[in-house]
Amino acid sequence: MPVEQTQLLIVGWHMKPSPPDFDSLLKSWSYVPGEVSARRGHGADGRLVLQLRIDLGVLQMEADGRPDGVRPLGHDTYLDALRAEEAIAGEDFELDDDQCVEIDREFVQYYHRRVAWLALREFDHVVSDADHTLALMDFSSAHAPNDDWVEEHEQYRPFVLFHRTQAAALAELQRTDPEAAVLVIDEGFRQLRESLADLAAIVGEDLEDDEAYDFSTKLEELRRSILVEYDLEAPLDEQLANAIAHEEYELAAEIRDRMARRTRSRQS
């Protein structure tokens, strides 16, 4: 290579802009082990972004659309892209290895953003991202290449349902509707029980002692705290069960009468 060309290459290399210095950013926002720390920020064009502090740096995510801002195959999310492919392929559609990798990428991205929204107490956004994750889980399990894939991913469904139920209940409290929050938790209990039963069938073993059952305990604690803080009565069916358990049969009869009157009033 001529000397002149070599010199141009060297000069060009030295003239490349140096990468941004992130030292000041990381020093001004310390990482605290065991603590989820997130904040809102703005991109160069002024758009809203989310930033999540992690051990080795900062994750930045889009607040709208897919967290990485990419439009897979021209669609808003990879789930939308897969649904389009399924519509063309028909009933024989099955995920291949590359698609499984991309699904996992989307799972992880939505997990990080869901955690950031939780830390920021943006509970409606948590619900929305959890719904997307559950829909992606439904799709991937229905078209999985094998049972191992299903088991590997379905084990996280109780965790996502817990996040969703918790966030939906807290969103109702933000709207000052504690009764709706209790109903949300009750529905979450139902979905969580179904999920745990389905998971037990998939793995072929009893999950009574599994850590996933801790989610039910945490939801029960949240439910109880709402009833106490807002001085709410427990639902009539729960009051009836408690009265029977404590052999308070006159109270049980009164509760049954109240339930019957409520049923008649709804029917009229």
Side-chain angles (χ1 to χ4, degrees):
M1 178 182 296
V3 175
E4 293 80 2
Q5 293 185 22
T6 304
Q7 290 175 339
L8 285 173
L9 286 175
I10 294 174
V11 171
W13 180 81
H14 283 298
M15 291 177 63
K16 286 183 179 179
S18 59
D21 178 10
F22 293 104
D23 287 349
S24 58
L25 169 64
L26 298 180
K27 288 179 181 179
S28 65
W29 189 13
S30 299
Y31 172 73
V32 181
E35 179 180 302
V36 178
S37 181
R39 67 187 185 186
R40 297 172 185 83
H42 292 90
D45 58 357
R47 74 189 187 284
L48 176 65
V49 297
L50 299 184
Q51 294 175 339
L52 183 68
R53 186 66 164 93
I54 58 175
D55 191 6
L56 297 177
V58 175
L59 292 179
Q60 180 164 295
M61 298 163 282
E62 299 295 322
D64 297 316
R66 199 168 113 133
D68 63 359
V70 171
R71 288 178 53 82
L73 303 175
H75 295 271
D76 289 341
T77 67
Y78 194 60
L79 174 58
D80 293 328
L82 288 174
R83 284 171 170 165
E85 290 192 28
E86 179 202 24
I88 296 173
E91 297 180 356
D92 295 331
F93 180 78
E94 182 177 289
L95 298 170
D96 60 31
D97 291 343
D98 291 338
Q99 290 168 329
C100 288
V101 170
E102 289 303 313
I103 285 173
D104 282 340
R105 287 187 64 212
E106 191 150 295
F107 272 135
V108 171
Q109 289 184 24
Y110 274 83
Y111 163 73
H112 284 307
R113 192 169 69 183
R114 189 172 77 242
V115 168
W117 285 129
L118 269 172
L120 294 170
R121 302 182 64 79
E122 295 279 357
F123 299 122
D124 285 326
H125 288 301
V126 177
V127 172
S128 178
D129 279 358
D131 283 342
H132 177 84
T133 297
L134 292 168
L136 181 58
M137 196 172 291
D138 290 342
F139 186 95
S140 60
S141 292
H143 302 285
N146 52 63
D147 293 339
D148 289 340
W149 165 272
V150 176
E151 181 177 338
E152 180 183 350
H153 292 75
E154 285 294 329
Q155 65 177 314
Y156 298 108
R157 186 181 292 271
F159 179 53
V160 181
L161 285 171
F162 167 71
H163 267 179
R164 189 198 186 284
T165 303
Q166 179 190 48
L170 294 173
E172 296 297 349
L173 290 183
Q174 285 182 333
R175 290 187 279 269
T176 321
D177 194 344
E179 291 88 353
V182 172
L183 293 176
V184 164
I185 294 174
D186 289 343
E187 174 61 17
F189 272 133
R190 184 191 66 77
Q191 294 178 355
L192 192 56
R193 284 194 298 269
E194 289 182 359
S195 174
L196 290 169
D198 291 342
L199 184 58
I202 291 172
V203 301
E205 61 183 71
D206 187 6
L207 297 176
E208 287 293 340
D209 297 325
D210 191 89
E211 63 179 9
Y213 275 85
D214 292 342
F215 300 139
S216 295
T217 301
K218 292 176 181 177
L219 288 179
E220 178 58 37
E221 291 173 354
L222 176 60
R223 184 179 188 276
R224 191 181 303 114
S225 69
I226 294 172
L227 292 174
V228 172
E229 182 175 352
Y230 292 91
D231 194 23
L232 300 178
E233 281 192 345
L236 290 179
D237 56 349
E238 184 176 326
Q239 294 183 45
L240 177 60
N242 288 335
I244 294 173
H246 292 87
E247 299 182 354
E248 298 173 338
Y249 298 117
E250 290 185 7
L251 176 59
E254 293 177 6
I255 294 173
R256 287 194 182 94
D257 288 341
R258 291 171 60 191
M259 294 174 71
R261 289 196 298 272
R262 178 173 294 183
T263 299
R264 287 195 297 270
S265 66
R266 288 174 178 172
Q267 293 174 345
S268 61

